[in-house]
Amino acid sequence: MENSEIKIDKEGIWYYKGAHMFRKDILCVFFEHLQIDECGKYLIELNEERCYLDVEDTVFVVGAVYKTKLPDGGRDQIDVLLSDDSCEKLEIISLYIGKDNVLYCRVKEGKFAARFSRNSYYQLAEFIEQSENGKHFFINLNGEKCFINETKASETECTEACKSNYTA
């Protein structure tokens, strides 16, 4: 696999040739043009150019969690603030526990995985309850128990054809 000049660490910090990329306007353009290929590799597709990213874990990181009441009917919802500075409703059913007990969810209409930062995990933990048998965890929201998946339901394996696309 070729080395990418753009790397994203597990905390969602972007680097170009080792230098921290901090300009929000540039990162905004990259997030807007972010894609994921058939093998699950992240890339930026802008005009005719494609740039694969070296991603340590996920591109999106959940930075904060908020529980809000909807104005119509007073139902509760949990919102997440993402590393691209967008805020969206947490799809609780998409929560899962990954490697090393790290919590993830799906974002951007289910297109991407997002890793919970330590702080956002603790914020969400305020709403997590343990089942009576102590083996499972769930969030009780609006009278419904939404259980957290212990592992990602369907991990897509990269086919041999995909692997050959990334060999040097």
Side-chain angles (χ1 to χ4, degrees):
M1 179 178 197
E2 293 181 26
N3 286 337
S4 172
E5 293 182 333
I6 300 176
K7 297 183 186 301
I8 304 169
D9 71 13
K10 68 181 179 182
E11 300 302 322
I13 308 296
W14 291 59
Y15 297 91
Y16 177 71
K17 294 184 176 180
H20 178 218
M21 295 175 64
F22 56 87
R23 290 202 34 203
K24 288 288 185 182
D25 56 337
I26 293 172
L27 292 177
C28 249
V29 170
F30 289 167
F31 277 117
E32 267 181 52
H33 294 89
L34 184 66
Q35 300 290 324
I36 195 161
D37 73 7
E38 62 277 357
C39 297
K41 302 292 182 190
Y42 294 98
L43 67 138
I44 297 168
E45 209 166 37
L46 187 57
N47 300 323
E48 299 297 316
E49 297 197 37
R50 299 177 96 187
C51 174
Y52 278 89
L53 306 175
D54 181 1
V55 180
E56 188 175 352
D57 193 357
T58 62
V59 171
F60 291 97
V61 174
V62 176
V65 174
Y66 306 98
K67 187 174 183 182
T68 58
K69 272 208 185 297
L70 298 175
D72 56 340
R75 293 180 56 82
D76 290 329
Q77 118 177 353
I78 297 176
D79 295 317
V80 291
L81 177 65
L82 300 174
S83 49
D84 68 345
D85 289 334
S86 68
C87 189
E88 62 181 61
K89 175 185 174 189
L90 171 64
E91 295 300 332
I92 297 173
I93 196 165
S94 77
L95 286 170
Y96 65 94
I97 301 168
K99 185 180 173 193
D100 298 326
N101 290 317
V102 174
L103 190 62
Y104 297 86
C105 67
R106 303 296 299 178
V107 297
K108 306 298 179 188
E109 299 177 354
K111 188 174 179 182
F112 299 101
R115 173 190 179 102
F116 280 77
S117 68
R118 185 178 304 269
N119 287 341
S120 65
Y121 169 79
Y122 288 131
Q123 291 170 338
L124 185 66
E126 292 180 31
F127 312 118
I128 297 175
E129 300 177 37
Q130 195 168 15
S131 65
E132 289 179 21
N133 66 9
K135 294 183 180 182
H136 305 285
F137 296 92
F138 64 91
I139 295 175
N140 191 343
L141 192 65
N142 300 312
E144 296 178 28
K145 288 183 181 178
C146 298
F147 285 87
I148 298 171
N149 295 312
E150 293 179 27
T151 57
K152 186 174 178 183
S154 60
E155 189 71 36
T156 306
E157 293 292 325
C158 191
T159 64
E160 290 303 315
C162 289
K163 288 180 185 174
S164 67
N165 288 339
Y166 300 104
T167 54

